[in-house]
Amino acid sequence: MPDIGGAPVAKARLAILISGTGSNMAALLYASRLPDCPYEVVLVASNNPAAPGLALAAAEGVPTFARDHKGVPRADFDAILDAELTRAGVTHVALAGYMRLLSDGFVAHWAGRMVNIHPSLLPAHKGTHVHEAVLAAGERVTGATVHLVTPDLDGGPILGRVRVAVAPGDTAETLAARVHHAEHQLYPRVVAELVSREVRPEALLDRVRALALALPEAEERLTHGTPGFFVRGGTFFARWSANHHGDGRTAVLVKASGVEEQAALIEQDPELYFRPAYLGPAGWIGIRLDTGAVDWDHVEDWLTRSWRASAPKRLARLPI
Ligand code: GAR
């Protein structure tokens, strides 16, 4: 078994958007304070400055942002929100009773990293007045769903659902209260699964491997016990590095043009780049993958560049 490492990974930085009570926000927040939770709540934001959830978040010491959306065009409002999320270093967004449609641009920016909770077993009963609709239809079972947010309202890929029985004599209020209990169990678990899926060293290595092996005549072989990628007839162009000598980093190592570029890169972005042990003097550069928000296009560019520098001449000229 290759050692792909058990480097401690940075926690995902979650923003929660609310419009009202914020009980799901509270569930996410308190779950984040339990040991080993893979996310932390770094911002609670609202389009309703009077949302009770804001006061709770503030009392718990969580930074908040509130702005009334009235009179502000949707795209402008979402741009303001996006700027706040960026400022807070947010990596993932959870909508928790955020009762405002989001612009396509905002949704596209957070694609794959933004989730919503909805009080029904989706795809049944999208939209509002869900519990009334469940009761009117005489259904015996309802529930809650967490899904990725896409431009299709309440229609993105489902990440998790929990069932809730409709009890005799239930009203929309009693049903809503019970569905809330179920939501509070479901939401933290699904968010934790989503963010861990991305930051687990195994998942990161899978992604590096897929990009590296997509390059012409690239192959994988263990080097010093960890996965490395080389070009047939050429040399290694990428190496996996996870908690190497306990450095706490999960990274891919690639070839820069030399130690000068290596130093310039580290100076430009010391959070992202580092000088790897052993390969550092040879001009290799470490690109961290445990920052919580990997720019995979950037990683792919580096792999391609490093591949080119390592490939035999007949291949290095290939247009990729
Ligand atoms: C929750 O039941 C959530 O599922 C719902 O709003 C409620 C917010 O409660 N969201 C939607 O209907 C979205 N389509 P909370 O403020 O107490 O978390």
Side-chain angles (χ1 to χ4, degrees):
M1 267 295 280
D3 174 19
I4 65 162
V9 286
K11 289 188 183 228
R13 296 173 62 81
L14 185 71
I16 307 176
L17 307 191
I18 63 170
S19 297
T21 313
S23 71
N24 278 288
M25 177 274 294
L28 287 165
L29 173 62
Y30 294 126
S32 77
R33 293 185 172 168
L34 294 175
D36 299 328
C37 185
Y39 67 85
E40 60 185 317
V41 180
V42 295
L43 182 70
V44 171
S46 183
N47 62 322
N48 168 19
L54 285 171
L56 169 65
E60 291 290 357
V62 180
T64 60
F65 169 79
R67 176 75 62 89
D68 193 340
H69 67 264
K70 286 192 206 87
V72 186
R74 190 180 306 282
D76 294 354
F77 186 82
D78 287 357
I80 295 169
L81 198 56
D82 219 354
E84 288 300 320
L85 300 183
T86 303
R87 205 192 319 275
V90 167
T91 59
H92 294 78
V93 178
L95 307 181
Y98 187 69
M99 302 312 254
R100 185 166 161 75
L101 292 176
L102 292 162
S103 55
D104 285 352
F106 188 92
V107 171
H109 183 198
W110 291 98
R113 297 179 295 143
M114 178 159 62
V115 288
N116 179 44
I117 189 157
H118 183 79
S120 77
L121 288 177
L122 287 173
H125 305 297
K126 298 178 176 180
T128 53
H129 305 297
V130 169
H131 308 298
E132 289 84 348
V134 167
L135 292 171
E139 287 166 8
R140 309 274 292 275
V141 176
T142 182
T145 306
V146 177
H147 63 93
L148 286 171
V149 177
T150 64
D152 181 15
L153 181 69
D154 298 331
I158 290 173
L159 301 179
R161 301 197 301 176
V162 58
R163 290 156 62 91
V164 173
V166 178
D170 256 340
T171 63
E173 288 70 34
T174 58
L175 196 49
R178 224 162 46 256
V179 169
H180 257 115
H181 288 306
E183 289 186 314
H184 300 164
Q185 304 302 312
L186 178 70
Y187 212 0
R189 179 180 291 212
V190 174
V191 169
E193 280 171 3
L194 176 72
V195 304
S196 329
R197 215 199 283 165
E198 295 164 11
V199 298
R200 271 178 20 240
E202 294 85 345
L204 296 169
L205 174 58
D206 281 350
R207 198 127 179 212
V208 167
R209 177 179 283 132
L211 292 173
L213 295 182
L215 291 162
E217 303 197 22
E219 289 190 25
E220 177 174 349
R221 178 152 48 85
L222 287 184
T223 162
H224 299 283
T226 59
F229 302 92
F230 66 99
V231 197
R232 232 175 290 150
T235 55
F236 276 100
F237 64 94
R239 294 183 192 215
W240 178 249
S241 175
N243 206 17
H244 189 231
H245 291 304
D247 70 0
R249 302 178 178 119
T250 304
V252 60
L253 313 183
V254 290
K255 285 180 186 163
S257 61
V259 288
E260 277 169 24
E261 186 187 19
Q262 177 196 66
L265 288 165
I266 295 167
E267 190 178 329
Q268 175 198 320
D269 194 344
E271 306 271 296
L272 180 63
Y273 295 110
F274 67 97
R275 180 183 163 98
Y278 304 123
L279 293 172
W284 284 62
I285 187 81
I287 305 174
R288 293 190 73 149
L289 303 172
D290 52 7
T291 53
V294 180
D295 180 345
W296 287 102
D297 290 340
H298 183 69
V299 172
E300 185 174 13
D301 289 348
W302 265 111
L303 288 169
T304 306
R305 199 186 130 174
S306 190
W307 174 90
R308 220 180 269 290
S310 316
K313 280 207 180 64
R314 77 188 160 82
L315 283 177
R317 282 193 292 268
L318 283 182
I320 309 175

